[in-house]
Amino acid sequence: MTDTDIIVVGAGPAGSCAAIAAAKAGKRVVLIERGPFPGSKNMYGGVIYPRILDELIPDWFEHAPIQRWIVRRSTMLLSDTGALNIDYRSNAWGQAPYNGATAYRPDFDNWLAQQAVAAGAELICSTTVTGLLRDAQGRINGITTDRPDGDLTASVVIACDGVNSFIAKDAGLYKAVDASNYTLGVKETLSLPKNVIDERFGVRDNQGVDIEILGGTSGVNGGGFIYTNLDTIALGVVLKLPKLSAQKKRPEEIIAELKRHPAIAPLIEGAEVIEYSAHLIPEAGLDMMPKMVADGLLVAGDAAALCLAAGIWLEGVNFAMASGMYAGQSAVQAITAGNTTASGLQSYTKKLNETFVLKDHKKLRKIPHLVLSDRVQHKYPGFVTGIMERMFRVENPHPKPGVRRILREERKKAGISLMDLVRDALTGLKGFG
Amino acid sequence: MTIAVCLKWINASGQTDIDDDRFMGFSYADQAALEYALRIAENTNDEVIVVTAGPVGAEAVLRDAIARGAQRAVRIDIDRSHDSAVIAQAIAQVVAHCSLIWCGDYSSDRGSGSVPAFIAAELSFAQALGLVEIQVPADSLHPIRALRRLDGGRREQLEIRGQAVISVEGSTARLRRASLKGSMAANKQAIDIVTVNQVATETPPTRAYRPRARAVAAPVGNSALDRVRQITDTSSSKGHGETVHLEPREAAELIVSKLREWGYQS
Amino acid sequence: MSLESLRAANNIERDATWAEMSFQERIDTAEFRIHERAHITVNGDSCRGCTTRECVVACPANLFVPTSDGGILFNYENCFECGTCYMVCNEAGAITWTYPEGGYGIVFHRT
């Protein structure tokens, strides 16, 4: 007899959704969190797409602690002095059924974990899981923790222990861990009065803005982001790990330079840093994903590298919630069927393959590499803003130059060969499907 | 017998202006008090009851204490903005039957350490406040020996028998961790709730301290400086202070009589 | 381009709009609940042979400081628990990294 049916490690979006799904099906669930409360260890780069919660919490949008609903979605290309901003607005996204939302993760994750408690899961905080228990056949049947008398047994363990997932590594599900698959996200939460944010970003009430930035990271491959909370702005950069030290620039210096950019500075003028934070991101998509199933073990969320970093799409929380939910459901099925070996848990992989969780990743497989490639990072922002600069600068009495000439000259100035341009365009076209 | 531990529900992140259940906890001093109560109870087979005053959210610290080994928990449902005398009165009603009442010397949210003293006064218990070292007795037959901090780096040795309120500094002991199974059991434990109506909320009358006036003869002297010196005593070295060697009871009587003589006590 | 001319070209006033904060001020905006056990350990011998010192540049909490004798001085108290240091470290096994004791370490508020 095990202590419980299912142990979920980590009360983030993946873990809480796994716990809700399993508890709703009547299984005994223990949800273990190493922070003093769920969400206390979590930060992110901006937007939650919570529609996946419809299945578990039909009225989520009435209760979730949301800061603002995204109605403006921008992609910004920065050169040293110029900025090209592609900005789409849809006020419909500010009403049910909604699209994306900003939230403080210590609020949102805590709320989601409380939904798991309400569904019958038992939440244990301030407890770090230190390893896995295995039975005589070597199949996983529990965890060890840093608490006295801290072993706990279960039929299935669901590892939602985040990007560093020591559980997935301990179970041997990851091949070698390669630093180049990860990016470091650092972020400042900047305080400004709500009316000032509303005016600067052209929104009102609880409408919000999310800006994803390419360029502006001081020569380190990565990107930036700005999004609005109710009375704070979050501004951060995402930096590719191996490139970071090569540039001899520290993360906070790169943030400071982004804040000085002429397109960014006016947005955050007068704002005070009220919280600084950092976190790793599993950025390489399908190419870095571990095996998600072992005997008695499922892996979900960041622990399974289920984070989509595909340039114009940057999503993680929705992938975590979905994979967690499917893991919870598969664990329930396997326990009910009396087979919790890897083969008994295969319905999880099947479900991931059938849904957006892996379909999006397969479709966009090449995009994370393209976005973080040196050409896209260092040449295209200058190339594109250079074109814009010349297209929209009126040099009277000189006549306008032809667009083809501008393209050719700017391409040469940026040092991009026609071959590379065509190749990247094709990769992009194929990759974005 | 029963040992009580008073735990103040405070913001554990050091910000006194945020009342958010997620960031709440209890001071290191309260943690040390709980640890000593648990250690003593292990040797004496006493029951440990933990008490806090505050809203439902405060029950988290009680469950935490139960997970670490306390047997019973009481939450006094009272507005925490009451002054410490009222809070102490409320706590005193709940812990009146206990042999020992352990408290932190003062809470880290700018507490002044008055609640333990008020509880002792309310119950007419002995008090041993601000302890820096405690020897846990081997059984209930032996007294608790402790050191108390005095001014000037001095220490006072205390021997605690019978009913007493004890407060300890946070650095004296590290609170044990709860076992995993203990935490799971604590989640299900019932917590007794004492509502605010059951406790008296009247502030006891207090009077500002004023020493009695003492008649001083006008100074005589040739220069203003001499007269000032005479009043302020700066020039004289009359050797204030008197060293006596007496039994504690006689020493106490002498101190009280001197205080009367000097007008500090009526 | 000089910083001055850059500022002039882009109409940026001298840093009057927002002052840079010191690193200490920056770190002080986050809450850390510090446990007595260090959850990071560094093998000094491996560091002495390391030329790249990736951790010194990459750690967002600036926890790693090179010493004059070629070693690395570190502290663990203000750690965001991100894992960057052991990921970028070139010397196998030089940085041992675990999560801190449950309930301790970084506590985010508005992230």
Side-chain angles (χ1 to χ4, degrees):
Chain A
M1 186 63 189
T2 52
D3 296 322
T4 185
D5 294 326
I6 297 167
I7 295 168
V8 181
V9 183
S16 290
C17 283
I20 295 170
K24 278 196 165 181
K27 295 295 176 210
R28 294 175 300 154
V29 181
V30 178
L31 176 58
I32 305 227
E33 165 61 40
R34 69 185 183 90
F37 60 87
S40 56
K41 302 285 182 186
N42 302 351
M43 70 80 96
Y44 72 147
V47 185
I48 301 170
Y49 297 93
R51 288 296 301 279
I52 188 69
L53 285 176
D54 285 352
E55 190 176 333
L56 292 177
I57 312 164
D59 58 348
W60 60 268
F61 47 86
E62 286 175 27
H63 306 290
I66 296 299
Q67 289 285 320
R68 289 178 187 254
W69 300 100
I70 297 298
V71 299
R72 275 184 64 193
R73 182 67 175 71
S74 302
T75 303
M76 202 183 250
L77 248 62
L78 294 184
S79 66
D80 285 351
T81 53
L84 168 68
N85 193 13
I86 301 163
D87 180 32
Y88 178 70
R89 182 184 190 113
S90 169
N91 276 11
W93 291 349
Q95 292 147 16
Y98 301 104
N99 185 30
T102 60
Y104 295 131
R105 293 290 297 282
D107 294 355
F108 185 84
D109 293 9
N110 188 52
W111 167 79
L112 201 55
Q114 294 313 321
Q115 306 311 301
V117 172
E122 187 163 353
L123 172 66
I124 308 281
C125 291
S126 299
T127 305
T128 303
V129 173
T130 50
L132 292 164
L133 292 172
R134 290 178 172 84
D135 67 10
Q137 286 78 46
R139 61 174 296 281
I140 290 153
N141 68 345
I143 53 161
T144 60
T145 68
D146 66 346
R147 294 282 200 105
D149 191 16
D151 293 359
L152 200 66
T153 57
S155 303
V156 178
V157 174
I158 305 179
C160 306
D161 52 336
V163 59
N164 283 300
S165 186
F166 292 116
I167 294 185
K169 288 173 191 166
D170 186 9
L173 301 183
Y174 271 96
K175 286 171 265 169
V177 172
D178 180 358
S180 63
N181 290 333
Y182 295 85
T183 52
L184 167 65
V186 287
K187 178 168 97 171
E188 288 180 357
T189 307
L190 300 157
S191 136
L192 272 180
K194 181 184 182 298
N195 63 320
V196 174
I197 294 176
D198 287 352
E199 279 174 27
R200 288 189 193 172
F201 289 85
V203 288
R204 52 172 66 131
D205 303 327
N206 57 2
Q207 295 175 332
V209 179
D210 173 39
I211 306 171
E212 306 292 351
I213 301 164
L214 188 61
T217 45
S218 312
V220 178
N221 299 35
F225 59 85
I226 300 174
Y227 62 87
T228 55
N229 294 310
L230 221 46
D231 57 4
T232 61
I233 294 173
L235 178 148
V237 292
V238 171
L239 308 165
K240 194 165 165 148
L241 282 189
K243 294 278 177 179
L244 187 56
S245 49
Q247 288 293 328
K248 298 283 173 222
K249 283 223 174 89
R250 290 199 32 84
E252 71 279 1
E253 293 167 359
I254 299 172
I255 283 202
E257 277 185 46
L258 179 63
K259 285 169 80 175
R260 275 196 288 268
H261 193 281
I264 308 296
L267 294 176
I268 54 163
E269 187 175 314
E272 183 200 351
V273 181
I274 55 165
E275 196 163 350
Y276 182 56
S277 52
H279 212 278
L280 280 187
I281 306 163
E283 186 96 14
L286 213 54
D287 291 346
M288 70 178 293
M289 280 181 203
K291 277 195 224 153
M292 314 243 181
V293 180
D295 289 340
L297 179 73
L298 295 171
V299 188
D302 271 8
L306 285 167
C307 189
L308 184 70
I312 51 175
W313 292 298
L314 294 165
E315 300 168 23
V317 177
N318 51 335
F319 282 88
M321 293 191 293
S323 57
M325 175 172 73
Y326 299 142
Q329 290 166 346
S330 294
V332 170
Q333 272 177 30
I335 292 168
T336 309
N339 179 5
T340 56
T341 61
S343 66
L345 291 164
Q346 273 313 323
S347 62
Y348 176 53
T349 330
K350 190 163 169 279
K351 191 78 184 179
L352 295 184
N353 275 307
E354 284 167 1
T355 56
F356 77 95
V357 179
L358 284 181
K359 279 193 167 158
D360 283 0
H361 270 102
K362 282 178 191 159
K363 190 183 295 167
L364 300 168
R365 178 171 201 150
K366 297 233 182 311
I367 302 298
H369 296 294
L370 179 67
V371 170
L372 286 176
S373 71
D374 284 345
R375 261 199 307 283
V376 171
Q377 286 285 323
H378 306 306
K379 295 186 172 171
Y380 288 158
F383 172 50
V384 176
T385 51
I387 295 166
M388 294 298 145
E389 174 80 20
R390 288 188 54 195
M391 279 190 29
F392 297 121
R393 182 191 282 273
V394 179
E395 297 266 32
N396 295 346
H398 298 289
K400 292 196 192 321
V403 173
R404 240 181 308 170
R405 194 180 117 204
I406 296 178
L407 281 176
R408 190 175 56 242
E409 287 174 6
E410 287 300 317
R411 183 174 59 74
K412 283 197 177 133
K413 208 201 286 175
I416 305 165
S417 77
L418 194 57
M419 277 285 283
D420 287 339
L421 186 61
V422 171
R423 194 180 301 133
D424 290 341
L426 281 176
T427 311
L429 276 177
K430 260 196 285 183
F432 285 116
Chain B
M1 293 294 282
T2 303
I3 300 175
V5 186
C6 305
L7 303 174
K8 184 175 181 187
W9 188 58
I10 59 154
N11 190 307
S13 62
Q15 290 152 306
T16 52
D17 55 337
I18 303 174
D19 227 14
D20 184 324
D21 286 6
R22 292 174 299 171
F23 303 113
M24 305 298 272
F26 50 115
S27 310
Y28 284 113
D30 288 6
Q31 292 179 27
L34 176 58
E35 178 60 31
Y36 278 116
L38 293 172
R39 283 184 198 171
I40 288 173
E42 278 166 1
N43 290 355
T44 59
N45 289 319
D46 287 332
E47 176 197 42
V48 174
I49 170 172
V50 284
V51 183
T52 194
V56 181
E59 289 179 9
V61 297
L62 297 178
R63 289 194 193 285
D64 189 356
I66 286 171
R68 295 175 204 258
Q71 279 86 33
R72 237 161 23 90
V74 179
R75 175 172 68 85
I76 301 167
D77 193 31
I78 189 172
D79 182 353
R80 288 180 307 138
S81 59
H82 281 303
D83 68 39
S84 45
V86 176
I87 301 280
Q89 267 194 335
I91 294 173
Q93 295 198 10
V94 172
V95 300
H97 65 290
C98 298
S99 55
L100 294 173
I101 300 162
W102 287 82
C103 305
D105 61 344
Y106 53 86
S107 62
S108 48
D109 61 341
R110 300 196 196 124
S112 61
S114 54
V115 168
F118 278 132
I119 295 173
E122 191 70 24
L123 298 173
S124 302
F125 278 20
Q127 52 182 341
L129 306 184
L131 302 188
V132 291
E133 212 178 295
I134 293 126
Q135 283 175 25
V136 175
D139 55 51
S140 54
L141 301 173
H142 291 82
I144 300 167
R145 290 177 197 281
L147 283 186
R148 178 169 173 262
R149 188 191 295 283
L150 296 181
D151 289 347
R154 292 185 182 85
R155 295 286 182 273
E156 184 178 40
Q157 289 185 15
L158 299 176
E159 202 176 271
I160 303 159
R161 294 172 196 271
Q163 290 182 304
V165 177
I166 302 173
S167 81
V168 296
E169 287 192 5
S171 55
T172 51
R174 175 176 275 279
L175 180 57
R176 66 194 64 189
R177 285 202 85 187
S179 74
L180 191 60
K181 306 281 159 64
S183 282
M184 294 171 72
N187 278 341
K188 298 179 183 79
Q189 169 108 10
I191 285 173
D192 299 335
I193 297 162
V194 177
T195 55
V196 69
N197 301 335
Q198 288 169 261
V199 300
T201 53
E202 246 173 67
T203 314
T206 52
R207 190 168 56 83
Y209 164 69
R210 284 194 193 85
R212 269 185 303 173
R214 192 152 59 105
V216 178
V220 285
N222 292 332
S223 69
L225 185 60
D226 287 345
R227 293 193 292 276
V228 169
R229 280 199 176 124
Q230 211 180 330
I231 299 172
T232 56
D233 265 2
T234 48
S235 59
S236 66
S237 54
K238 279 181 281 181
H240 284 275
E242 175 187 355
T243 307
V244 293
H245 295 278
L246 296 168
E247 286 303 302
R249 173 173 291 279
E250 290 162 9
E253 277 166 3
L254 179 67
I255 290 168
V256 171
S257 74
K258 285 291 180 191
L259 287 174
R260 288 217 173 94
E261 191 184 313
W262 295 330
Y264 291 103
Q265 183 93 36
S266 48
Chain C
M1 219 179 201
S2 77
L3 199 60
E4 275 314 308
S5 54
L6 246 174
R7 282 203 181 105
N10 295 298
N11 214 6
I12 301 175
E13 287 176 31
R14 258 184 167 285
D15 287 338
T17 47
W18 48 272
E20 259 316 319
M21 69 201 308
S22 72
F23 195 84
Q24 193 55 49
E25 281 178 292
R26 176 178 292 280
I27 280 293
D28 286 347
T29 62
E31 185 196 343
F32 299 94
R33 298 189 186 171
I34 298 162
H35 194 269
E36 60 198 359
R37 179 186 76 90
H39 66 282
I40 308 172
T41 52
V42 173
N43 179 344
D45 293 338
S46 306
C47 298
R48 253 173 269 282
C50 174
T51 50
T52 50
R53 303 282 169 90
E54 308 255 352
C55 57
V56 174
V57 179
C59 170
N62 206 3
L63 297 179
F64 300 86
V65 179
T67 57
S68 55
D69 65 342
I72 291 278
L73 204 67
F74 77 102
N75 80 63
Y76 68 94
E77 288 94 341
N78 293 349
C79 175
F80 288 119
E81 299 156 34
C82 67
T84 299
C85 54
Y86 80 85
M87 288 262 187
V88 298
C89 182
N90 288 327
E91 307 293 319
I95 296 176
T96 314
W97 196 92
T98 61
Y99 287 128
E101 220 85 351
Y104 289 88
I106 181 72
V107 179
F108 288 130
H109 289 222
R110 284 184 282 190
T111 52

